[in-house]
Amino acid sequence: MLHVVRFRHGRAAIAAVVALLLVLVTVVPASPVGAKDKRELTVMSQNLYLGSSLDAAIGAGSPLEFLLAVAAIWSTVKSTDFPARSDAIADEIAEHEPDLIGLQEVARWTLSGPTDESIDFLDVLLVDLNFRGLSYSVEAVSNNALIGPVPLLAPCDAPGPCSITFQDRDVILVNDTPDLEVFNPQSGLYDEQAVIGTPVGPLSFDRGWASVDGTFEGKKFRFVDTHLEIGAFPAVQEAQAQEFLDGPAKVGGAVIAVGDFYSRADGTSTASYGILTKSYFRDAWDTAEGDGLTCCQNDILDNDTSELSSRIDLVLTHAAVRAQSAEVIGDEPFQGSPPLWPSDHAGVVSVVRIH
């Protein structure tokens, strides 16, 4: 039944009602629509570290030196213990819950012989994330270097010949986030590549990129992940930076790019950082304080004091994407005995807003 309330004193009653409504307007909190319009995503870049420096093999002067170096590399990969480091990286991901993650140096080491053994960094990390109740899916992969099989002199756990194969990848992981959809996974290798002469033939890391297109609350964007060539090959790296701009990063709208660009943001190494940020990308670190150092701990991850001295791991944005914050993660020891660090690189987490 509808009840009609009649006011005996019309003007006074109306004035009272108006006064009450004014009070309610000031007390009732603002609509949550404003918060939703922020369209904030958390993105992350992390170089996992393949587990050992390869310099000894690259600089070998004879086939025997090369094989001895490969044996030392495999021993270092075992001692830098990716399963332990993956636990620490998974803890960082659980703390920050990024919506999109770009990973570099996602290695797969495969030992073939009387006893087969494989360490797949991607599989290990996904298990650790799942154990923490996190739901990340692999949405794009760039298959870069594939080196081997190379004879392994030692250590081999059983008698008989052994060999080792190394694969390098860049990977994009996506969280199960409401209002976030990704599609159109792509990957590719750069036309310009560094080729290194070794006693067993030419080798290349075949640097590449991976990308996904997406929508968040209806707003379109592209997310791209890459690892450019190291600074020892500046001309190659700078050519790859230009390829990156002209290729996967060139879309008619919002772009978020993450990766190990291996070019110091202070301009003291290669020109790649300037190529990327001069007129196209904005650096998310512009929203942060401090130096943001991300590279690099020593090769066996046993340095007690951090050796991070340059900023080469970046989150970059273009067009309608604006970074709101940025921070370095993984720059503290995670345990008391080696390996002390989750990776030789620190990671970067940034909150971005799509306008």
Side-chain angles (χ1 to χ4, degrees):
M1 178 181 295
L2 178 62
H3 296 275
V4 179
V5 179
R6 299 185 184 277
F7 295 103
R8 293 188 178 184
H9 306 286
R11 292 184 179 178
I14 292 173
V17 170
V18 170
L20 178 60
L21 289 174
L22 289 174
V23 171
L24 289 174
V25 168
T26 59
V27 171
V28 174
S31 167
V33 172
K36 194 171 182 61
D37 282 346
K38 291 180 179 178
R39 294 186 169 88
E40 289 181 346
L41 285 169
T42 301
V43 300
M44 173 178 171
S45 181
Q46 179 67 65
N47 181 318
L48 297 183
Y49 180 45
L50 53 84
S52 174
S53 168
L54 304 183
D55 289 348
I58 292 170
S62 69
L64 178 58
E65 284 184 18
F66 182 86
L67 295 179
L68 290 172
V70 169
I73 288 168
W74 176 240
S75 178
T76 302
V77 169
K78 299 293 287 292
S79 70
T80 54
D81 193 1
F82 183 72
R85 297 193 289 113
S86 175
D87 257 338
I89 293 168
D91 284 342
E92 293 282 7
I93 293 173
E95 178 180 348
H96 294 88
E97 294 192 56
D99 302 292
L100 299 125
I101 305 174
L103 301 173
Q104 307 88 44
E105 295 192 20
V106 186
R108 179 191 287 125
W109 295 91
T110 304
L111 176 68
S112 301
T115 302
D116 292 338
E117 182 179 354
S118 178
I119 304 175
D120 188 324
F121 288 13
L122 181 57
D123 286 349
V124 173
L125 180 59
L126 289 174
V127 168
D128 287 337
L129 294 175
N130 185 66
F131 180 76
R132 288 159 175 78
L134 303 174
S135 180
Y136 282 89
S137 57
V138 178
E139 294 296 339
V141 178
S142 174
N143 291 302
N144 305 326
L146 181 61
I147 300 173
V150 177
L152 183 66
L153 300 182
C156 198
D157 294 334
C162 289
S163 63
I164 191 78
T165 300
F166 163 69
Q167 183 180 13
D168 174 61
R169 296 161 293 177
D170 303 317
V171 175
I172 293 176
L173 301 182
V174 179
N175 200 1
D176 184 14
T177 301
D179 299 320
L180 173 63
E181 296 182 4
V182 297
F183 49 89
N184 190 33
Q186 299 184 70
S187 64
L189 302 179
Y190 294 111
D191 292 334
E192 194 73 25
Q193 299 287 348
V195 179
I196 304 163
T198 74
V200 297
L203 297 177
S204 174
F205 263 84
D206 291 334
R207 306 292 184 182
W209 54 269
S211 72
V212 293
D213 293 328
T215 61
F216 180 59
E217 298 184 351
K219 293 295 182 179
K220 296 180 179 179
F221 67 93
R222 172 166 289 180
F223 183 79
V224 198
D225 175 35
T226 192
H227 187 325
L228 299 186
E229 190 51 81
I230 63 174
F233 303 93
V236 172
Q237 183 198 99
E238 290 157 10
Q240 290 175 352
Q242 191 61 55
E243 284 187 56
F244 186 72
L245 285 181
D246 296 338
K250 188 176 183 180
V251 296
V255 183
I256 307 163
V258 303
D260 176 359
F261 293 90
Y262 224 104
S263 181
R264 293 179 180 176
D266 62 6
T268 59
S269 59
T270 64
S272 299
Y273 180 82
I275 292 170
L276 293 165
T277 59
K278 182 178 180 180
S279 59
Y280 194 79
F281 280 117
R282 292 177 296 271
D283 189 340
W285 197 257
D286 292 343
T287 66
E289 296 181 357
D291 47 27
L293 303 178
T294 61
C295 181
C296 287
Q297 312 298 355
N298 74 23
D299 296 339
I300 57 177
L301 305 179
D302 69 345
N303 49 297
D304 293 323
T305 302
S306 176
E307 296 180 6
L308 300 179
S309 60
S310 61
R311 185 165 72 84
I312 62 176
D313 301 86
L314 310 171
V315 175
L316 305 174
T317 65
H318 172 71
V321 188
R322 293 288 192 279
Q324 306 302 300
S325 65
E327 65 175 301
V328 170
I329 62 171
D331 56 345
E332 298 289 340
F334 72 95
Q335 61 183 15
S337 59
L340 302 176
W341 309 92
S343 171
D344 65 338
H345 287 242
V348 181
V349 170
S350 178
V351 176
V352 303
R353 180 179 299 174
I354 304 176
H355 291 272

